[in-house]
Amino acid sequence: MEGGKAEFSFANGGVPAVVSPRGRLPPIQTSRSISFRKTKDGEDRDGNDGICHDDSTPPVKAQTIDELHSLQKKRSAPTTPVKDGQGAPFATISEEERHRLQLQSISASLASLTRETGPKLVKGDPARKADTPKISTVDHHYFTPTISVSDSALKFTHVLYNLSPAELYEQAIKYEKGSFITSAGALATLSGAKTGRAPRDKRVVFDETTAEELWWGKGSPNIEMDEHTFLVNRERAVDYLNSLDKVFVNDQFLNWDPVHRIKVRIVSARAYHSLFMHNMCIRPTPEELENFGTPDFTIYNAGQFPCNRYTHYMTSSTSVDLNLARKEMVILGTQYAGEMKKGLFSLMHYLMPKRQILSLHSGCNMGKDGNVALFFGLSGTGKTTLSTDHNRLLIGDDEHCWSDNGVSNIEGGCYAKCIDLSTEKEPDIWNAIKFGTVLENVVLEEHTREVDYSDKSVTENTRAAYPIEFIPNAKIPCVGPHPRNVILLACDAFGILPPVSKLSLSQTMYHFISGYTALVAGTEEGVKEPQATFSACFGAAFIMLHPTRYAAMLAEKMQRYGATGWLVNTGWSGGRYGVGSRIKLAYTRKIIDAIHSGSLLTADYKKTEVFGLDIPTEIEGVPSEILDPMNTWQDKAAYRETLLKLAGLFRKNFEVFANYKIGQDGSLTEEILAAGPNF
């Protein structure tokens, strides 16, 4: 150092260190700093400008911490050109105008029937001050108010519109008690006091149209309510939703067939419900969302708020109400998300047949050669296991339409049971439970957040809802050609039905309407008899029209497109439950493979007694002796007795359908009845 001037030495690999006179640090230059630049000979020299610059990165543009946070998140804009009505290459409407129209549409959906305008809405989270406006972004001056303005009309309701799974995770974990991220990345949550559907509390508005079109009376799932009562419940739900600081709104689609697509809007109070419907409905592209417009159907999910027990028709604190004329559904008093899924399925069971499209509660897969199969079956029949075949593409696991264009999945996701789930038994479902999946009512370890799928502490009806893309062999889009095979599955614990039967059209209709399976009793001490269960069209709780109407449409489409009906028993052989043994899954898979390949069409057949079923005499890979159930019973008298007992149960179940006449002079009804057991 000379003259007290600071010297610079390089230490620690070339990092400059400052050494000041007498070991003191140099003073901080406030009015004049020092910069350095390299000369041609590599030596650092003082800069001439006297200002110290850090040129490594440009300065942050934000002036406040809030602005900095806003820079962290970018907004993605649609990238596909959208044509307007004049055929211009790009839509000319501004983003502000589009948002205004979008909010205006949602406000109209949430409008009370006793006031002239909808609520004041704004997009965004109320927890963020920047999202709270000083003035309304929606024009509410439709009419001159004639009713005194209430306090609720003065407040803003924040709309969280079509949030992403990540955003919904944040909302659920922050604001909904009982929401956790599992070790696999799924969102585990609770549905509250109700952990399953409430079919006795489901109501459909009875009016001039539905009185004639819908199935009412004995055996029907449709319980009536009047228009006025629906509007009372709707007002209660809307007032509750509007009283909240924020609501979640999903605009989505039903049916992968674009020609027959249905636009649905779901307004809910919980992030869990919004994520559930994000998974279960078909997710619009950004371009489709920008041009969504007015929905075809709206769900008001106010499930955290009970119905008014003094209201007519109410039998509990829960009410799930469907108004087909208004195209609306109201949910009060239950937070179980499955009510929304099945409510929309009921809607499709009404709307699609009016378009000559058959709605089906079935699984559906397709071979690589375009060979499509439909799988019908109640719980425990193996529908999920058999329709999820790694050698075939999955079109869907639960709800489908069959139109003149072929088959299409109604949903955009899967809703799988989780009780006793394991990677060995259901690897596809196990692997689908990851980030984005909703887990309902499961029990998880407090520290590791690992799920115990065998724990029934909350309910046995634990569920997972995930996008269908989470299944590796899912076919996207979820559409396919006309089915070649219609497979009706039954787990017959009586041990009477053959492992496989080829059905005539009338037999297919009969067994489709019956929707049979048998449950193993055994849950009560001393009860060992199997219990027959019948569910019309393999989904009686959701159908809207008389079962014979769906059956007639099924037969007509099968005949037109050359599909074959099959009855496959995945239950017992050689005796009823407790005596015989369950048919091996390996044998059932061989049977299904033979159906897919077409080899069973050319097999030799013989007819069984009483049920009159055609059974093959030989199938490759399946012991021939089990193909005829009578051969597997050692006690032939017991076989005959059980055969007549089961036939009697079928006949008794069908009595409720026998008086409904379809076809010319009721001839088709007589044909269906003749296809049942004859004894």
Side-chain angles (χ1 to χ4, degrees), residues 14 136 302 476 517 622 648:
S136 173
I476 307 295
T517 195
V622 181

Side-chain angles (χ1 to χ4, degrees), residues 23-25 56 162 166 175 181 184 188 212 231 250 253 277 295 337 372 435 467 488 501-502 532 543 558 590 599 605:
R24 292 194 303 268
L25 293 174
S56 59
N162 272 54
Y175 299 110
I181 300 178
E212 298 297 325
L231 296 180
N250 292 49
F253 299 125
M277 295 309 287
V372 169
F435 181 81
L488 311 182
S501 312
K502 186 173 70 171
I543 60 177
M558 289 178 64
K590 289 289 185 181
S599 62
Y605 285 86

Side-chain angles (χ1 to χ4, degrees), residues 521-528 531:
T523 53
E524 297 181 20
E525 187 176 353
V527 178
K528 298 181 180 179
Q531 296 180 343

